[in-house]
Amino acid sequence: MPRPYAIWSIAQLEAEFERVQDEGDRQGLQALREELRLRTTKRSRQLLGLADRFAGSAAGPARPTQGAGGHNKHPQNQASGSRQSQPQGAAGLKQPQHQSAGSKHPQHQGSGPRQSLPQDGAGVQQAPPQGGGQKQTPPQAAAGPKQMLAQGGAGPKQSPPPCGGTKHTQPQGAGGPKQASPQNAPGLRHVQPQGGAGSKQAPPQGGVPKPTQPQSAAAGSKPTTPQATAANGSQPQGASGNRAVRDRPRLTPTEEQLNAVDQFKTGGSLKINAYAGTGKTSTLEFLAHSTGRRGQYIAFNRSIVNDAREKFPSTVNCSTTHAMAYRATPSSFKHDEKMTRRIGPHQLAEVLKLKRWQADKNHVFQPRSLGFLILETLRHFMQSADREPGAEHVPSHGSLTAASEKTLAAVAEFAVRGAKHVWKRMTDPQDVLPLGHDGYVKLWALGHPRIPADFILLDEAQDTNPVVLDVLRRQSAQMIYVGDRYQQIYQWRGAVNAMEKIDTDKSSYLTMSFRFGKPIADVASRILALLDETHTITGNPKIASRIGRVTAPDAILGRTNASTITALINSLIEGKRPYLVGGTGEVIEMLKGVADLKKGMQSTVPEFFGFNSWTQVIDFSKSDEGHHLTTFVNLVQSRGEQQLKWALEKVVSEDSCDIVISTAHKAKGREWQRVRLMDDFMRAEQRAAQAPPPREPKPPDPEETRLFYVAVTRAIECVDVPDSILDLME
């Protein structure tokens, strides 16, 4: 029997389960269940159970599941419930009320209740729609609490997933157990918010809720959460997705978290600066449970939102920005994959009938390179707060980083003209050019939507792109921005650091990390000092951490794709079974780009943009502008494409690996017991330190320093940092 999912990791299977639920793909669901029956890991068995239950509900009308005491566990599936008002779409366009049967809508179409995977183990889901940004949910504080929100028993500690990699863990009370929280790579769950149907609850009587003892299912009691009432006395917007009403947090807040709750309750805008592993998400949970008002929780990543739905009260709607934008997009766009299909540079060149163009004697662009340039300009525009494409959205990739001002001006004029033409066609519902994920978010933002909530919680605020930030700035609701300004490492894809850009009425800090002990916290504080930060990170006194050599790391992190390939080859030589976070696709595309350049063909790989041969790339890598390519070029020259492809073919799934390899960018939101860092972090600073005297002192590059901080803080027990990098902090 063919096994279409045989080489898929559990994270990819989880993402596929999301897809078959969204699209009602019964054939895909059956193939997925058959594959899972052959898997033996705990997460595979959990996913199989969910898939089997979903298959049963999709086969016919689902019977209500009765909880303890006969209460329906999924009240939003009942016929009753308040109607959810929708954000408005683009200006002048009417909000659809009904979905046609043939269109792809994030709601289920007669497929029964959606299943969500229990929180267990590490994993990176990779599934459309687009998203990004990864989340950290750290273990609970050891600091003494002021008062309990609810008491949680200290159960057994869950065993880590293969390779020792774990997700960021949610606080479970002082010294309590860690529960792993799944991650995914860019991707969103599109779920229509449901009404507020279900059991009513009494609102809390001011202050942080008093301690409550969670009732067991056998006790037959009904869990309670605050009931919000809108200003006009109507029932508030309910929780989204198939989420039962949740009990109050079974967590113990720290002094810093209680301070954040107190500031939140003053009613003004608030910025919570949360360092690595300091309980960011649990703090948001405390805020949500401290009020009976309507709330909107926003995150970029679908799995983060799914996890939040399980923990936040029913008065808070949890959604991604893409899901909100999708629902608000006029129905005239929801046909023939107009919303979600992507178009590549070669296809765009054919549609626009682009021809070879010589910008100057050193820059000759082939049609697909021009298509790539237009698409990149459009991407930057759609992620911006601007109303139309402009020269500021034109990227500077590859050979353009060393081009003359005259050439750059000519390239910008061509790219902007092309981007305006394509955007006009994308926003025509009847045109063949797809709108795409970034496109429908931009269309939604241009309509100045209103989010129906009394307060809005923005998670991972440091990675918010300008288009979303502009929407939030226009809201009348109380705004809460939560994130770590020093984990802002996605500037290259259009993100802006809201933690620095936004002024708020109040601000607070979360500095007590539950992930690692004092030695790692001290190194992290020294890194932040390079960025002129005066607040230091406090380590968890219950965790014994160290900085030093690691002979058997659970994960190896590199600055670039080139260093991860080096680590991959070394691991294979040692007889290990490596897993590459994010998959091999990005590196394979770079190797295809090398092959194209060696044939004299231009490549659409951003790093190689504008070059006509591999020799030009080699020469460019020796310049100051091209130093970031040096490691990759040397690797290709020394190993050859064939050996590199051989190594990539040996990568195994995360379920069956014995070591994880990742770039620091893709490791964000994850953690491991023992981590080894490659030596390509802070490379410019290392070169400067090795230069002969007299040396001109220069401040460290902020983006490189932040990336190093992210890498160091992925470790729980031990992090192995090369001496050449540690010396920079002396």
Side-chain angles (χ1 to χ4, degrees):
M1 177 185 298
R3 293 177 60 189
Y5 301 122
I7 63 172
W8 287 37
S9 70
I10 185 60
Q12 290 172 312
L13 293 177
E14 289 169 352
E16 180 69 357
F17 181 46
E18 301 279 355
R19 184 194 67 78
V20 299
Q21 290 182 89
D22 283 338
E23 301 180 6
D25 182 357
R26 296 192 180 188
Q27 184 176 357
L29 177 63
Q30 181 58 30
L32 181 65
R33 292 167 66 198
E34 291 173 356
E35 175 62 33
L36 289 170
R37 291 190 183 102
L38 302 175
R39 305 287 183 105
T40 58
T41 65
K42 182 177 180 180
R43 290 176 66 201
S44 299
R45 293 195 299 272
Q46 289 175 333
L47 186 58
L48 176 60
L50 292 173
D52 286 343
R53 288 196 293 275
F54 182 76
S57 64
R63 297 179 62 185
T65 303
Q66 298 299 323
H71 300 294
N72 194 315
K73 288 185 180 178
H74 299 282
Q76 60 271 41
N77 292 335
Q78 301 177 52
S80 64
S82 62
R83 186 170 178 178
Q84 173 76 36
S85 62
Q86 299 295 330
Q88 296 301 312
L93 296 173
K94 209 172 178 184
Q95 172 63 29
Q97 295 183 358
H98 301 283
Q99 181 67 23
S100 60
S103 64
K104 285 188 179 180
H105 194 280
Q107 271 191 296
H108 304 303
Q109 302 175 15
S111 298
R114 179 183 285 282
Q115 310 292 335
S116 61
L117 188 66
Q119 313 306 308
D120 181 71
V124 176
Q125 298 186 18
Q126 299 166 335
Q130 304 282 342
Q134 294 174 328
K135 172 191 175 184
Q136 54 189 34
T137 3
Q140 172 61 17
K146 269 193 195 174
Q147 60 186 131
M148 298 281 287
L149 290 190
Q151 294 179 348
K157 187 173 182 179
Q158 299 201 8
S159 59
C163 315
T166 60
K167 296 299 175 179
H168 289 182
T169 52
Q170 184 70 18
Q172 297 296 325
K178 299 178 182 177
Q179 289 183 331
S181 174
Q183 288 292 346
N184 76 345
L188 306 168
R189 168 176 283 177
H190 293 168
V191 183
Q192 182 74 15
Q194 304 297 319
S199 305
K200 295 185 178 181
Q201 309 87 19
Q205 300 299 316
V208 177
K210 293 180 179 180
T212 57
Q213 183 65 33
Q215 300 296 324
S216 65
S221 62
K222 183 166 58 176
T224 60
T225 55
Q227 174 190 348
T229 302
N232 60 5
S234 61
Q235 185 71 14
Q237 315 287 344
S240 61
N242 290 332
R243 178 162 63 95
V245 176
R246 295 293 165 189
D247 215 346
R248 291 170 180 168
R250 301 182 181 184
L251 309 169
T252 304
T254 66
E255 294 289 339
E256 291 178 324
Q257 290 172 327
L258 287 169
N259 178 56
V261 172
D262 290 340
Q263 293 188 345
F264 166 68
K265 295 171 80 171
T266 64
S269 58
L270 173 63
K271 189 189 313 184
I272 303 176
N273 301 279
Y275 289 155
T278 55
K280 171 176 59 66
T281 303
S282 63
T283 303
L284 290 177
E285 188 181 350
F286 291 137
L287 266 58
H289 280 276
S290 72
T291 180
R293 297 180 297 153
R294 295 180 306 168
Q296 173 68 58
Y297 170 83
I298 299 175
F300 188 65
N301 186 286
R302 176 168 54 178
S303 70
I304 295 174
V305 168
N306 291 342
D307 186 51
R309 288 194 184 111
E310 297 297 319
K311 299 171 182 175
F312 282 45
S314 59
T315 52
V316 177
N317 179 48
C318 302
S319 184
T320 63
T321 50
H322 282 76
M324 291 191 293
Y326 189 104
R327 289 192 296 269
T329 304
S331 58
S332 56
F333 285 91
K334 296 175 181 177
H335 64 87
D336 300 328
E337 297 184 333
K338 172 77 175 179
M339 293 279 286
T340 57
R341 187 164 53 88
R342 297 180 61 187
I343 187 168
H346 183 73
Q347 293 171 293
L348 184 64
E350 290 182 343
V351 170
L352 300 183
K353 296 181 171 56
L354 298 176
K355 305 296 182 183
R356 178 180 176 273
W357 176 49
Q358 182 168 352
D360 61 26
K361 64 179 182 179
N362 297 320
H363 291 87
V364 179
F365 300 101
Q366 299 300 326
R368 73 169 182 170
S369 294
L370 296 175
F372 172 79
L373 181 65
I374 292 173
L375 289 176
E376 282 292 281
T377 301
L378 263 175
R379 182 175 67 85
H380 290 160
F381 156 67
M382 290 186 291
Q383 293 175 353
S384 76
D386 302 315
R387 298 196 67 83
E388 63 178 20
E392 64 273 19
H393 305 130
V394 179
S396 180
H397 290 315
S399 65
L400 291 180
T401 58
S404 67
E405 291 295 327
K406 182 178 179 181
T407 297
L408 291 176
V411 169
E413 193 277 333
F414 169 85
V416 171
R417 187 174 69 250
K420 288 181 176 179
H421 172 75
V422 173
W423 175 244
K424 183 178 180 180
R425 294 186 59 176
M426 287 169 61
T427 52
D428 179 353
Q430 304 308 317
D431 197 282
V432 296
L433 289 183
L435 188 58
H437 300 289
D438 286 341
Y440 64 72
V441 171
K442 184 66 173 180
L443 192 65
W444 171 67
L446 289 174
H448 296 170
R450 177 186 174 275
I451 299 174
D454 299 318
F455 64 92
I456 298 173
L457 307 172
L458 177 63
D459 204 349
E460 298 288 2
Q462 77 279 351
D463 291 328
T464 308
N465 57 34
V467 66
V468 174
L469 205 56
D470 186 59
V471 169
L472 298 179
R473 278 174 171 153
R474 298 174 185 274
Q475 303 304 310
S476 59
Q478 180 186 12
M479 283 300 310
I480 314 300
Y481 302 90
V482 186
D484 184 350
R485 71 181 66 191
Y486 300 113
Q487 291 196 57
Q488 206 281 312
I489 57 175
Y490 296 123
Q491 283 181 312
W492 52 274
R493 70 181 190 195
V496 295
N497 199 334
M499 301 305 290
E500 293 181 346
K501 298 286 185 182
I502 292 292
D503 291 325
T504 56
D505 298 327
K506 294 181 179 295
S507 65
S508 65
Y509 278 82
L510 301 178
T511 62
M512 167 69 183
S513 181
F514 309 111
R515 181 181 304 148
F516 42 74
K518 186 177 185 301
I520 295 179
D522 288 346
V523 170
S525 296
R526 286 158 61 191
I527 297 172
L528 296 186
L530 297 175
L531 298 169
D532 298 324
E533 176 57 66
T534 57
H535 289 83
T536 59
I537 304 177
T538 302
N540 189 338
K542 294 189 175 183
I543 297 179
S545 298
R546 66 183 179 89
I547 307 294
R549 299 284 80 86
V550 175
T551 56
D554 300 310
I556 299 176
L557 307 183
R559 164 68 180 85
T560 62
N561 282 319
S563 64
T564 59
I565 298 176
T566 300
L568 176 63
I569 292 174
N570 292 338
S571 297
L572 291 170
I573 292 173
E574 294 172 3
K576 294 186 176 180
R577 302 185 306 278
Y579 166 72
L580 190 62
V581 174
T584 60
E586 188 175 331
V587 181
I588 289 175
E589 283 301 310
M590 292 187 70
L591 293 177
K592 288 180 179 178
V594 173
D596 287 342
L597 288 167
K598 287 186 174 182
K599 296 175 185 176
M601 299 168 55
Q602 289 189 346
S603 169
T604 56
V605 173
E607 291 86 347
F608 304 152
F609 182 79
F611 294 113
N612 297 307
S613 68
W614 178 241
T615 301
Q616 289 181 350
V617 176
I618 295 174
D619 294 339
F620 179 68
S621 69
K622 299 174 183 176
S623 67
D624 290 339
E625 295 86 355
H627 70 84
H628 61 285
L629 287 174
T630 302
T631 304
F632 181 79
V633 168
N634 291 341
L635 193 62
V636 171
Q637 293 298 95
S638 62
R639 300 280 187 176
E641 301 100 289
Q642 292 307 314
Q643 184 180 10
L644 298 180
K645 289 179 180 178
W646 167 84
L648 293 171
E649 290 172 355
K650 298 295 183 181
V651 169
V652 301
S653 70
E654 192 167 7
D655 280 344
S656 56
C657 76
D658 51 22
I659 190 168
V660 173
I661 297 173
S662 176
T663 62
H665 283 98
K666 293 174 183 173
K668 185 169 175 278
R670 304 185 64 156
E671 61 185 24
W672 295 270
Q673 291 291 328
R674 297 168 297 279
V675 174
R676 177 188 296 162
L677 303 187
M678 299 294 284
D679 64 359
D680 58 340
F681 290 94
M682 308 284 286
R683 181 57 62 85
E685 288 72 13
Q686 290 187 65
R687 288 199 307 270
Q690 295 166 2
R695 304 186 185 99
E696 181 181 352
K698 292 183 179 179
D701 180 88
E703 190 167 2
E704 292 298 316
T705 306
R706 291 195 299 268
L707 190 62
F708 179 42
Y709 162 72
V710 169
V712 167
T713 55
R714 298 310 94 195
I716 298 173
E717 176 186 316
C718 182
V719 58
D720 187 341
V721 184
D723 292 336
S724 59
I725 303 178
L726 279 178
D727 291 343
L728 297 175
M729 293 181 290
E730 294 298 333

